[in-house]
Amino acid sequence: MIYHNGNELAWVPDYEEKDGPTYRRIADCIEEDIQSGKLGHGTKLPPQRVIADYLKVNHGTVTRAYKLCEEKGLVKGIIGNGTFVSGSAGIPIELMTDHDESSIISLGMTLPLYEMNDHIRQYLKDMTLVMDYNIALKYCPPEGHIKHRYIASNWLKKKGVMAEPDNMIITSGTQNALAVILTTIFEKGDRIIVDEFTYTGLKSLAQYLGIILVPVGGHDCIMDPYRLSVACRRENVKGIYIMPDCHNPSASVMPQETREAIAEIIRKEKLLCIEDATYSFTLAEKMKSVSAYVPEQSFYIHGTSKAICPTFRISYLMAPKMYMKKLKEGINNLTWMASPYNAEVMSLLQSTGQYDDLVTFKLEELKERNRLFDEVFEGYDHIASETAMYRCIQLPEHYSEDRIEQEALRKGVQVFGISRFKSGIDTKLKGIRVAISSPKNHKELMDGMTIVRDILEGYDEAYVPVI
């Protein structure tokens, strides 16, 4: 314990032997001490003014260091309470726990309606008698066992997806599928067009691999074909990433005519299309995918984690045959194979019709949760949906997403500002994404949404100074 001017300091940064600006050296100390375990999860850091006084540096220098660590997800500042080491401690915030063991109401990370797990548990008990353990408990080829690919391809065809066993790879979830595509088909410095707001997992993966994301705007977060054409002429673009069935974070659904127009540009510009269909199961009326118009240039990913359960981590990647060899090598190098046991579970659910039964149960529950959202946030600017797992509330330009996040967390609710999904720097659109699928029940959902609504309603009075 260090005593300084009447303050007890359990920790101070030892930054003297580090290089670079002072604020960055302090931030590096925080990060290293978190990683070493010296600063444990939930530890309260000393006040910035106290650290500044102890180190004899400017208060703004320490504030900048704390801010840098917060941007990295290492610490979290709570207004009125101080700065704490994050429970995620360096893990991207979108991968944070659902706070199941705390009093926090999770409206941030999108969780797949865990109340459905009671149904899944019963199905799993029945499956133990019919599971093909000769396949489930053995190694399989990197692309997955032919039995599982055959069953999945037939099941996907009924949903209008162009799928054949020979052009399918079974991956350990959508993030794994994206990693395989980006590491084998793309190279450092390649450019991929994305929406102005896009999936955070793609953002972090692209940054890690040195792939450049080129944002293209539109209306209601739906990419505008004209702006796409302009971007293709202006940039040396290799690919495009889209989520047309239920855009994340806006929940917008791309109209069919826009899909056709974008597909035509993909064909004309010889782009490689990555279509993420993670939330396609939430569409009441199925629409033709963009990939279906340009199959020889498309990688279509159909995940099961949100539709069924994250435990099994199975996604189906459909790709042109000319890229299959590379993709197989990629998955072999990254993960060797997806779990045959998990793939067997998915195959049994699909072949018995239980997969579709679970989705039907989930959609009925999502309809009620969306109805409750519409009721609580009546009058607010948001995109309509009956079955989305999340909804996005658009905010006035002078609102601070960070401030709303912090105030919500202080009152026991986790929400995410859409700036976390921003792929560029020019857009001024602000909003809060509310994951309505994540709370345990309707009461918790209503309690969380009511708190968020009250914060929004009182924002100007609380934060805008009266002149």
Side-chain angles (χ1 to χ4, degrees), residues 67 149 187 211 251 306 361 418 445 450:
K67 181 64 177 176
R149 289 183 284 121
E187 298 177 354
I211 292 171
K306 293 296 190 292
F361 293 148
I418 63 172
L445 173 63
T450 300

Side-chain angles (χ1 to χ4, degrees), residues 236-278:
N236 181 22
V237 180
K238 183 173 181 177
I240 179 173
Y241 170 85
I242 50 175
M243 295 184 72
D245 287 342
C246 188
H247 176 264
N248 190 8
S250 71
S252 295
V253 177
M254 186 182 289
Q256 199 67 56
E257 58 269 24
T258 305
R259 297 175 186 230
E260 294 179 23
I262 287 179
E264 182 56 35
I265 296 169
I266 290 171
R267 179 183 295 108
K268 178 182 176 182
E269 300 294 338
K270 296 181 174 58
L271 300 179
L272 294 178
C273 174
I274 304 172
E275 183 166 357
D276 186 343
T278 295

Side-chain angles (χ1 to χ4, degrees), residues 267-320:
R267 179 183 295 108
K268 178 182 176 182
E269 300 294 338
K270 296 181 174 58
L271 300 179
L272 294 178
C273 174
I274 304 172
E275 183 166 357
D276 186 343
T278 295
Y279 298 99
S280 64
F281 75 95
T282 63
L283 292 190
E285 295 183 11
K286 303 305 178 187
M287 304 178 71
K288 189 172 182 179
S289 67
V290 174
S291 299
Y293 294 103
V294 281
E296 293 307 310
Q297 295 169 237
S298 298
F299 302 88
Y300 182 91
I301 307 170
H302 188 99
T304 65
S305 291
K306 293 296 190 292
I308 300 299
C309 178
T311 297
F312 302 113
R313 301 298 299 160
I314 290 295
S315 287
Y316 304 101
L317 167 60
M318 273 60 69

Side-chain angles (χ1 to χ4, degrees), residues 27 58 67 85 92 98 100 114 117 135 142 177 182 237 246-247 258 284 298 318 362 369 371 389 442:
N58 187 279
K67 181 64 177 176
V85 175
D98 63 334
D100 190 50
Y114 284 152
N117 285 353
I135 290 176
L182 294 192
V237 180
C246 188
H247 176 264
T258 305
S298 298
M318 273 60 69
K362 185 164 289 192
R369 292 189 177 218
R371 186 192 68 78
M389 299 183 76
H442 291 178

Side-chain angles (χ1 to χ4, degrees), residues 106-345:
S106 177
L107 293 174
M109 182 177 176
T110 305
L111 304 177
L113 284 174
Y114 284 152
E115 62 189 281
M116 297 289 106
N117 285 353
D118 287 339
H119 296 283
I120 298 172
R121 189 181 301 117
Q122 185 56 51
Y123 288 157
L124 289 177
K125 288 180 181 178
D126 298 337
M127 283 182 198
T128 58
L129 301 176
V130 295
M131 183 172 288
D132 189 344
Y133 290 104
N134 191 46
I135 290 176
L137 301 182
K138 290 183 177 180
Y139 278 112
C140 69
E143 66 270 26
H145 197 281
I146 182 61
K147 168 193 168 181
H148 299 149
R149 289 183 284 121
Y150 177 81
I151 291 173
S153 64
N154 287 336
W155 175 74
L156 286 167
K157 284 176 188 175
K158 295 176 183 177
K159 302 181 181 307
V161 179
M162 299 176 65
E164 296 292 343
D166 291 343
N167 78 321
M168 175 188 291
I169 290 177
I170 300 176
T171 67
S172 299
T174 295
Q175 188 70 14
N176 181 225
L178 289 172
V180 171
I181 295 169
L182 294 192
T183 54
T184 57
I185 309 301
F186 293 84
E187 298 177 354
K188 183 178 182 179
D190 282 344
R191 285 169 162 77
I192 298 177
I193 285 177
V194 295
D195 293 297
E196 283 184 303
F197 297 89
T198 194
Y199 170 49
T200 53
L202 178 79
K203 285 176 56 180
S204 60
L205 186 58
Q207 182 180 15
Y208 181 74
L209 296 173
I211 292 171
I212 301 167
L213 300 183
V214 180
V216 171
H219 179 65
D220 285 343
C221 294
I222 296 174
M223 192 179 293
D224 178 66
Y226 173 74
R227 296 189 199 180
L228 173 59
S229 293
V230 171
C232 289
R233 291 195 298 269
R234 185 182 68 238
E235 305 271 357
N236 181 22
V237 180
K238 183 173 181 177
I240 179 173
Y241 170 85
I242 50 175
M243 295 184 72
D245 287 342
C246 188
H247 176 264
N248 190 8
S250 71
S252 295
V253 177
M254 186 182 289
Q256 199 67 56
E257 58 269 24
T258 305
R259 297 175 186 230
E260 294 179 23
I262 287 179
E264 182 56 35
I265 296 169
I266 290 171
R267 179 183 295 108
K268 178 182 176 182
E269 300 294 338
K270 296 181 174 58
L271 300 179
L272 294 178
C273 174
I274 304 172
E275 183 166 357
D276 186 343
T278 295
Y279 298 99
S280 64
F281 75 95
T282 63
L283 292 190
E285 295 183 11
K286 303 305 178 187
M287 304 178 71
K288 189 172 182 179
S289 67
V290 174
S291 299
Y293 294 103
V294 281
E296 293 307 310
Q297 295 169 237
S298 298
F299 302 88
Y300 182 91
I301 307 170
H302 188 99
T304 65
S305 291
K306 293 296 190 292
I308 300 299
C309 178
T311 297
F312 302 113
R313 301 298 299 160
I314 290 295
S315 287
Y316 304 101
L317 167 60
M318 273 60 69
K321 289 186 177 179
M322 64 181 294
Y323 295 107
M324 288 297 290
K325 184 176 184 294
K326 272 191 173 183
L327 292 171
K328 291 176 185 178
E329 291 173 352
I331 199 166
N332 181 70
N333 290 330
L334 289 172
T335 52
W336 174 257
M337 64 180 185
S339 164
Y341 184 93
N342 293 346
E344 175 72 6
V345 170

Side-chain angles (χ1 to χ4, degrees), residues 449-465:
M449 291 194 300
T450 300
I451 289 171
V452 174
R453 183 197 61 195
D454 291 346
I455 292 171
L456 297 181
E457 288 181 350
Y459 185 90
D460 285 340
E461 181 178 345
Y463 299 113
V464 178

